[in-house]
Amino acid sequence: MFVCRLLALLSCSVFNTFPPKAAKESNNMSENHENCITSKYFTQEDSLLGVVTKIDHTDASFIIRCRSGGEIQAQAGVTTNFTTLSNIDSLNSDRMPNPPEYDPSKPSDQVRKYIHEGDMLFIEGVDIQNDNVRRFDVRNVTRLSDAKGNFYFENTHWWLTQMARLADQWLDDLFDDRRTFEWDDFAELYRTNLNILGEPTDNVTQECATLSRLIYGLSSCYLLTGGERYLQAARAGVKYQRETFRSLSHNGQYCFWMFGKRKSNGVTESLISSENPDDLGTIPLYEQIYALAGLCQYYRITQDWEALEDIRRTVRSFQKFFWDDVETGREKGLTGTGGYFSHIDYATLRPDSDALGQNKLRKNWNSIGDHIPAYLVNLILALEPLPREQNRGIVGHNFKIAWNMTRVANYYRSQAAQCSPQNESRAVAQKDFAGDLEKLAQQLISNMSTAGIDQLRGGCFDAMERNPSGGLPMEFAWSNTKDFWQQEQAILAYLIVYGTTHDVNHIQLAREMMAFWNHFFVDSANHGIYFRVEADGSPVIQGSYAQKAGHSVAGYHAFELNYLAHSYICTYVQPGPEQSEADNTFCLYFRPDAGARHTTLNVLPDF
């Protein structure tokens, strides 16, 4: 019951969004003067995502229309490279048939082979403008679908392959060629921080939350592939997490998770409070939340009652120390407005301590909303056997809310379907609640599709001002870069909302986002995922962004995407014309522990 209560409370939280503002008339000086930068001799390297609307085979040129509605003429030449989208394994998927009398040395024949009207393509090249003359010289064309129009990333093996290669490389980087694992291996070799090549950095800290995220990834990989190596590693990781980072209250009722452990100069230091700069010296709730991510996914597979007991103790801690109860909060000196505080003082275990500084009595998405995707959905699935601040918006968080509100709506709709005729009023209330959640999700999706998506290149941006200035339709809080976890949230949001609405625009946007992810974020050379790319898709690999693993990067978001994108595509997206009906089926693998106390197993992949 405590899980269902948590879900209901979280579902009722209201989040702000930023609908696009109508453009205002501007008094900018530029309206009264010539532009400082003219179109003479202007060149810029760029990438574009669009649909082919017209082809001139004789001239080896074609026109693509971007999501913005704008069209541009693309010119192919003898140096233009034509490819098809590759997965993380870099295998060549190019099986485009040669047209009659095909000569690969002729750009016009290459266009005949690879460019068809209605196709969605990535083009990369040089935009050249001089006065009224403009041309986009294409250097790379990447097809996203085969000759029959089937998108490569909707093939049954695509996300399974990506997930398995990621997991294999992660384990190889940490543990060399081991195929069996003990928790001693994690004690000796696990590192939170790895460079882009997967090698250890000078930072030897082991963080609990990032370890848990890796366990989530390994567990998810086992769920979809049944690979013994992933289950072995997940089991050893869970054992190491529970025995190394767990801190129980004197009566065993509550559990907190230490931030991490560090061994230096022969001395092992236990790190109780967070060392993350934004949370320094506190116990932030989101780190406690993500300490459960791996345990819950592992519990789904194994029904390990000891893991469940630690999950229960941790949730009790959320309710005891972070929850701002509406009825009793004011009596305790808190705000009494509901929700969860984002930080507590490690010394007093209170959210109102002056020692918390700017984090005193603070609430945010990470403390209220992150419960749902991090552990709550998986925990309910495991426990409920069938059939019984500033005015800115983070684009990825809005997508995450839309995704999770739809998941919760699905849950309440399923609960309504199981109500007996005597509980008709309860069923109606649950259906109404589900409808409200879906309405909110679709509103967020609509807003983000205009304000948060790159209308020319694909992908979604990071942080946007809610009220753009100067008559512009958008304004960036920092830069127009794109982060990997935000693309993941967008893909899952579009796929699951498409499953509810069957709106073809949602599946089209999902495909554009999946295309951007697979073309630009997948690091095939190192079997990893780039954290950040520029607007045109070029990877950012300076500073902390040159790391494969770190405080903000672990085996979580990429594996979550692989796991759920595969499940959602098989569930919601109909197989293409050349695919058999069997292609929308899939397998999940479980390994219940001999000592499991549950006698039934819920095999739903998600709500």
Side-chain angles (χ1 to χ4, degrees):
M1 290 301 295
F2 75 89
V3 179
C4 295
R5 178 171 176 267
L6 256 178
L7 184 56
L9 290 167
L10 291 170
S11 306
C12 293
S13 301
V14 178
F15 301 90
N16 292 323
T17 182
F18 50 107
K21 297 286 186 179
K24 302 174 184 177
E25 292 189 8
S26 173
N27 294 320
N28 289 345
M29 293 177 60
S30 60
E31 290 187 352
N32 303 318
H33 299 279
E34 292 288 334
N35 288 333
C36 296
I37 300 177
T38 69
S39 61
K40 275 188 173 294
Y41 305 104
F42 176 79
T43 65
Q44 176 173 284
E45 188 173 6
D46 210 342
S47 66
L48 296 171
L49 173 65
V51 176
V52 178
T53 60
K54 189 176 180 181
I55 306 171
D56 186 338
H57 292 108
T58 304
D59 190 39
S61 66
F62 54 94
I63 293 175
I64 68 166
R65 178 183 292 124
C66 298
R67 173 154 292 277
S68 66
E71 294 187 332
I72 190 166
Q73 181 169 334
Q75 180 67 55
V78 294
T79 60
T80 303
N81 180 42
F82 293 82
T83 61
T84 57
L85 186 67
S86 294
N87 205 341
I88 197 169
D89 53 16
S90 298
L91 292 178
N92 186 352
S93 58
D94 185 355
R95 299 297 182 269
M96 296 297 293
N98 293 334
E101 301 178 2
Y102 171 67
D103 182 351
S105 67
K106 295 181 179 180
S108 58
D109 279 14
Q110 292 285 69
V111 169
R112 280 198 301 136
K113 177 177 180 178
Y114 288 96
I115 309 297
H116 306 148
E117 285 191 20
D119 285 344
M120 186 166 67
L121 305 171
F122 272 115
I123 62 172
E124 298 163 75
V126 182
D127 189 3
I128 305 173
Q129 299 180 49
N130 190 62
D131 291 334
N132 295 324
V133 180
R134 183 180 187 185
R135 189 175 72 204
F136 192 96
D137 282 354
V138 181
R139 293 297 172 258
N140 292 290
V141 173
T142 304
R143 282 191 59 86
L144 304 175
S145 57
D146 61 23
K148 299 296 183 179
N150 300 311
F151 287 96
Y152 294 113
F153 43 74
E154 290 179 1
N155 287 337
T156 55
H157 63 275
W158 186 274
W159 297 102
L160 299 182
T161 297
Q162 190 170 123
M163 171 180 272
R165 294 296 77 77
L166 285 170
D168 286 336
Q169 190 62 53
W170 213 291
L171 292 175
D172 287 348
D173 288 341
L174 287 171
F175 307 111
D176 296 324
D177 293 327
R178 285 174 173 79
R179 291 299 184 270
T180 60
F181 301 89
E182 299 293 339
W183 59 305
D184 285 345
D185 297 319
F186 280 83
E188 179 186 358
L189 298 171
Y190 173 72
R191 295 290 180 272
T192 290
N193 296 282
L194 301 173
N195 65 24
I196 199 168
L197 300 177
E199 300 166 340
T201 68
D202 293 337
N203 188 337
V204 296
T205 303
Q206 297 179 330
E207 293 185 26
C208 176
T210 52
L211 169 62
S212 175
R213 287 172 164 183
L214 177 59
I215 294 167
Y216 171 93
L218 296 170
S219 300
S220 299
C221 201
Y222 177 79
L223 265 169
L224 284 189
T225 68
E228 183 71 17
R229 187 188 191 199
Y230 314 129
L231 180 60
Q232 287 244 1
R235 181 183 291 119
V238 166
K239 178 74 170 178
Y240 184 63
Q241 177 184 334
R242 295 182 62 245
E243 298 299 333
T244 304
F245 300 105
R246 181 182 57 185
S247 177
L248 298 178
S249 62
H250 68 285
N251 58 5
Q253 293 297 301
Y254 303 103
C255 175
F256 283 97
W257 299 94
M258 294 188 294
F259 171 79
K261 188 186 79 167
R262 181 168 52 238
K263 188 173 183 179
S264 179
N265 298 322
V267 177
T268 300
E269 182 182 7
S270 294
L271 309 172
I272 304 300
S273 59
S274 178
E275 291 194 345
N276 182 43
D278 293 336
D279 316 294
L280 193 63
T282 74
I283 299 179
L285 182 54
Y286 82 94
E287 289 181 0
Q288 301 294 307
I289 285 172
Y290 278 104
L292 295 185
L295 292 181
C296 286
Q297 195 74 327
Y298 176 75
Y299 178 71
R300 285 215 63 203
I301 301 167
T302 64
Q303 300 282 302
D304 183 331
W305 70 270
E306 290 182 300
L308 177 61
E309 193 57 37
D310 279 345
I311 294 167
R312 285 175 166 153
R313 290 162 170 159
T314 306
V315 174
R316 286 193 201 109
S317 297
F318 297 165
Q319 297 300 98
K320 173 72 172 178
F321 300 103
F322 290 92
W323 175 245
D324 185 17
D325 191 88
V326 174
E327 296 179 359
T328 64
R330 290 186 179 275
E331 298 173 7
K332 298 177 181 179
L334 307 178
T335 63
T337 55
Y340 295 85
F341 293 108
S342 61
H343 300 75
I344 60 174
D345 180 4
Y346 68 87
T348 64
L349 299 182
R350 288 189 61 89
D352 56 352
S353 169
D354 291 336
L356 296 173
Q358 64 177 1
N359 291 317
K360 177 181 178 180
L361 294 175
R362 184 185 179 194
K363 298 172 186 174
N364 55 27
W365 160 259
N366 297 102
S367 66
I368 296 174
D370 256 350
H371 295 262
I372 299 174
Y375 72 91
L376 199 49
V377 166
N378 289 320
L379 183 57
I380 293 176
L381 286 168
L383 291 178
E384 192 171 79
L386 293 176
R388 16 176 192 120
E389 301 116 322
Q390 290 165 306
N391 199 21
R392 293 171 178 162
I394 304 299
V395 174
H397 280 169
N398 281 269
F399 278 121
K400 195 179 223 183
I401 296 164
W403 165 41
N404 284 285
M405 291 301 98
T406 306
R407 296 168 97 188
V408 175
N410 289 342
Y411 173 77
Y412 277 100
R413 187 164 281 109
S414 72
Q415 293 296 296
Q418 296 178 42
C419 284
S420 64
Q422 292 79 12
N423 288 326
E424 183 179 352
S425 60
R426 182 179 181 185
V428 170
Q430 289 175 326
K431 287 180 182 178
D432 290 345
F433 185 42
D436 290 342
L437 294 174
E438 286 178 345
K439 184 178 179 180
L440 172 60
Q442 290 165 29
Q443 176 191 340
L444 288 168
I445 282 283
S446 176
N447 291 338
M448 291 305 98
S449 298
T450 303
I453 295 291
D454 189 330
Q455 306 287 318
L456 300 177
R457 307 171 187 88
C460 69
F461 296 117
D462 179 10
M464 313 285 289
E465 298 291 349
R466 295 183 189 272
N467 299 302
S469 60
L472 294 170
M474 61 177 60
E475 183 176 350
F476 300 98
W478 296 288
S479 183
N480 62 345
T481 53
K482 301 162 184 176
D483 288 356
F484 84 112
W485 68 270
Q486 307 210 39
Q487 317 305 308
E488 179 229 1
Q489 308 300 310
I491 291 169
L492 297 180
Y494 281 126
L495 284 174
I496 199 169
V497 172
Y498 170 71
T500 300
T501 64
H502 307 293
D503 185 331
V504 293
N505 190 47
H506 293 152
I507 189 58
Q508 176 67 14
L509 280 158
R511 287 166 172 163
E512 292 175 14
M513 295 299 300
M514 288 188 284
F516 195 88
W517 168 275
N518 284 288
H519 190 48
F520 291 117
F521 278 95
V522 173
D523 178 8
S524 298
N526 301 299
H527 286 184
I529 302 295
Y530 295 116
F531 186 99
R532 173 169 289 179
V533 301
E534 303 286 0
D536 66 356
S538 303
V540 177
I541 50 175
Q542 291 81 38
S544 62
Y545 300 113
Q547 294 186 187
K548 173 180 181 175
H551 177 80
S552 301
V553 191
Y556 180 72
H557 285 294
F559 288 99
E560 183 178 61
L561 173 61
N562 297 157
Y563 172 60
L564 291 177
H566 178 76
S567 302
Y568 291 171
I569 287 171
C570 290
T571 304
Y572 298 130
V573 182
Q574 292 302 310
E578 295 301 305
Q579 295 173 308
S580 68
E581 260 185 55
D583 279 346
N584 64 353
T585 64
F586 58 96
C587 291
L588 295 179
Y589 297 81
F590 298 85
R591 186 77 65 84
D593 187 81
R597 297 175 179 178
H598 272 66
T599 57
T600 54
L601 186 70
N602 186 342
V603 298
L604 278 178
D606 195 50
F607 286 162

